[in-house]
Amino acid sequence: MINFTHNIPTIIYFGKGQVEAIEAELKKRAEKILVVTGQGSVKRNGIFDAVIKQVKKAKIPFIELSGILPNPRLKSVYQGIELCKKEKIDFILAVGGGSVIDASKAIACGVLYKGDVWDFFSKGVRPVKALPIGTVLTLAATGSEMNGNTVITKEDTKRKLAIGSPVLRPCFSVLDPEYTYTVNRYHTAAGVADIMAHIFEQYFSHTHAADVQDRIAEALLKVCLKYGPVACKKPADYDARANILWAGTLALNDLIGEGKEEDWASHAIEHELSAIYDISHGAGLAIVVPNWMKHVLSGKTINKFADYGINVWGIDKHKAKESIAFEAIEKTKNFFKTLGLPVTLKEVNIPSDHFLKMAQSAIQDWGKVGSFKTLAERDIVSILKSSL
Ligand code: NZQ
Ligand code: ZN
């Protein structure tokens, strides 16, 4: 295991009715807040009203920034920064899924930065301060509610880039499984695929003897296999929604990645797809991940795939490692299919036109991606071709 420092200061309020925690949290932390929302789901399902009731109880003045798009755009980040400056905002409350939370994080660090917020994403400048943020999560997927990451798309260049900083971790997050009941089947399934992909990015690693992280990772994957289909079929199943929600948070809050070399190649490839074609991140991952798995499977990586097949899918350990690995990859792909997700680029109308451009863009900053197997431009093109 590699040395690490474990510090996750986000307070999680998990369960029914936990929205009430907002009143005391805001009283402690805020003078005037910006409430950030997406395209209107929280207005239709009553979550916005429940949150605003608490804001009013806390007697904290607020203004609103609505309309954040899935795959959030830099334009709305600039808009939020202007609003915060003009209105002297000192706290941001994000009410929504990963896109709303990510936009809020980018606004939070952009407000206190003298230069262009895009510098953080494109020039390697690290945010060292940010306005504090709180979140009310409405979709289980990204883990943004407990991590310091944000992913923003610059519209004109179609670059979708991620940054991470401890100053971007939310102070608190409200996770009420009932708030995810209205997420439709497609986004529920895409969220499950995203959670699983986060686990894979950290699980498939050459770091030796990180058993604690790996066994937790396998348990989280099994939770996704058990409850993902239930949440898709029965949207108001509390146990399914609760388990998927908590699995999503733990899948990307550092718990299973600390002390390990991580990969993140599938994400780098998917971000190129959603940057250009604006598809759902989780759907893009359902297409890329099984093909990434096939591509990186080799004598050097087969043991990990065998662990995955045996411990997660229950494949007979007496079989040859190679067949366990292939079976596990096939089962992964079929699982995404049964959730109703696309598993080929054709299903989301993505042709081969920009493969080379996407591969070049994915490796632009580091000259390569991934660590379980390092991928160069030609590897990415090959994964994309096999995804057709
Ligand atoms: O816009 P609204 O009206 O809110 O509707 C959203 C959106 O259409 C809807 N939705 C959310 N909660 C709902 C709901 N509909 C009904 N009921 C509810 N309770 O779902 C749609 C998708 O929402 P979005 O926030 O875009 O989804 P997600 O949470 O999957 O976030 C995806 C974004 O996060 C990035 C992705 O790349 C993508 O841009 N990621 C962020 C990460 C992070 N910060 O750590 C890591 C991830 O790997 C990922 O890259
Ligand atoms: Zn993801």
Side-chain angles (χ1 to χ4, degrees), residues 203 213-222 307-308 311-312:
Y203 180 77
Q213 293 89 325
D214 286 355
R215 299 296 86 76
I216 297 174
E218 287 162 357
L220 293 173
L221 285 168
K222 283 161 96 168
D307 281 354
Y308 170 57
N311 297 339
V312 177

Side-chain angles (χ1 to χ4, degrees), residues 24-101:
E25 282 293 343
L26 291 183
K27 274 185 181 159
K28 254 191 308 197
R29 302 174 192 277
E31 296 283 333
K32 187 172 185 184
I33 70 170
L34 178 72
V35 180
V36 182
T37 61
Q39 295 278 292
S41 68
V42 296
K43 303 270 171 83
R44 294 188 289 276
N45 59 21
I47 297 173
F48 184 77
D49 289 345
V51 170
I52 295 303
K53 191 174 159 196
Q54 298 305 318
V55 175
K56 288 184 174 161
K57 268 165 79 183
K59 299 192 173 59
I60 308 286
F62 71 94
I63 52 163
E64 200 196 331
L65 174 66
S66 59
I68 302 297
L69 293 168
N71 300 319
R73 315 299 147 92
L74 183 59
K75 203 170 135 198
S76 53
V77 174
Y78 288 143
Q79 210 185 332
I81 292 171
E82 280 314 305
L83 260 180
C84 286
K85 285 182 178 163
K86 188 169 145 238
E87 300 285 338
K88 302 200 169 18
I89 296 297
D90 65 357
F91 189 92
I92 300 178
L93 186 60
V95 186
S99 294
V100 168
I101 300 175

Side-chain angles (χ1 to χ4, degrees), residues 63-371:
I63 52 163
E64 200 196 331
L65 174 66
S66 59
I68 302 297
L69 293 168
N71 300 319
R73 315 299 147 92
L74 183 59
K75 203 170 135 198
S76 53
V77 174
Y78 288 143
Q79 210 185 332
I81 292 171
E82 280 314 305
L83 260 180
C84 286
K85 285 182 178 163
K86 188 169 145 238
E87 300 285 338
K88 302 200 169 18
I89 296 297
D90 65 357
F91 189 92
I92 300 178
L93 186 60
V95 186
S99 294
V100 168
I101 300 175
D102 283 6
S104 302
K105 288 176 175 176
I107 295 166
C109 60
V111 177
L112 302 184
Y113 178 61
K114 286 205 180 77
D116 182 346
V117 66
W118 191 243
D119 291 350
F120 293 134
F121 296 85
S122 62
K123 293 187 180 163
V125 181
R126 257 179 92 78
V128 287
K129 51 187 175 174
L131 291 181
I133 82 160
T135 87
V136 178
L137 181 66
T138 64
L139 193 166
T142 62
S144 193
E145 65 277 10
M146 204 177 184
N147 68 39
N149 307 334
T150 163
V151 190
I152 300 294
T153 300
K154 190 167 188 298
E155 307 80 334
D156 52 352
T157 57
K158 300 227 181 285
R159 291 220 79 196
K160 182 177 183 179
L161 298 174
I163 55 166
S165 163
V167 300
L168 297 177
R169 276 190 206 270
C171 307
F172 69 86
S173 285
V174 173
L175 274 61
D176 182 338
E178 291 186 341
Y179 282 9
T180 65
Y181 284 180
T182 50
V183 179
N184 66 25
R185 187 188 162 122
Y186 191 73
H187 285 119
T188 300
V192 171
D194 190 23
I195 295 167
M196 291 176 67
H198 295 160
I199 302 170
F200 295 142
E201 302 279 21
Q202 299 162 90
Y203 180 77
F204 288 105
S205 160
H206 293 294
T207 304
H208 173 66
D211 289 46
V212 173
Q213 293 89 325
D214 286 355
R215 299 296 86 76
I216 297 174
E218 287 162 357
L220 293 173
L221 285 168
K222 283 161 96 168
V223 166
C224 293
L225 301 189
K226 176 175 175 182
Y227 285 113
V230 183
C232 286
K233 277 192 209 108
K234 294 197 260 170
D237 186 306
Y238 187 86
D239 294 339
R241 291 294 195 180
N243 278 281
I244 293 294
L245 191 58
W246 191 220
T249 305
L250 297 182
L252 194 51
N253 73 346
D254 289 354
L255 177 71
I256 59 168
E258 263 162 2
K260 292 189 70 178
E261 192 179 64
E262 302 176 28
D263 190 82
W264 297 102
S266 299
H267 268 70
I269 299 171
E270 194 300 310
H271 284 167
E272 295 303 322
L273 294 171
S274 48
I276 298 183
Y277 297 100
D278 201 19
I279 58 171
S280 276
H281 172 62
L285 287 166
I287 298 165
V288 171
V289 164
N291 293 300
W292 169 84
M293 286 178 165
K294 279 184 206 152
H295 188 86
V296 304
L297 177 61
S298 70
K300 210 177 154 205
T301 62
I302 198 156
N303 286 342
K304 200 77 196 187
F305 279 101
D307 281 354
Y308 170 57
I310 295 163
N311 297 339
V312 177
W313 288 104
I315 299 170
D316 181 357
K317 65 177 182 199
H318 298 104
K319 288 186 176 174
K321 276 184 189 164
E322 204 179 31
S323 19
I324 297 174
F326 279 121
E327 203 176 322
I329 296 170
E330 215 41 43
K331 281 182 183 291
T332 309
K333 183 174 176 177
N334 284 335
F335 179 72
F336 292 149
K337 240 192 232 177
T338 56
L339 288 183
L341 291 168
V343 288
T344 60
L345 291 172
K346 199 169 161 212
E347 289 167 77
V348 288
N349 300 318
I350 296 184
S352 58
D353 305 18
H354 300 301
F355 283 0
L356 187 60
K357 189 176 152 214
M358 286 191 269
Q360 285 164 345
S361 171
I363 62 162
Q364 186 171 314
D365 293 333
W366 312 101
K368 58 186 168 64
V369 288
S371 69

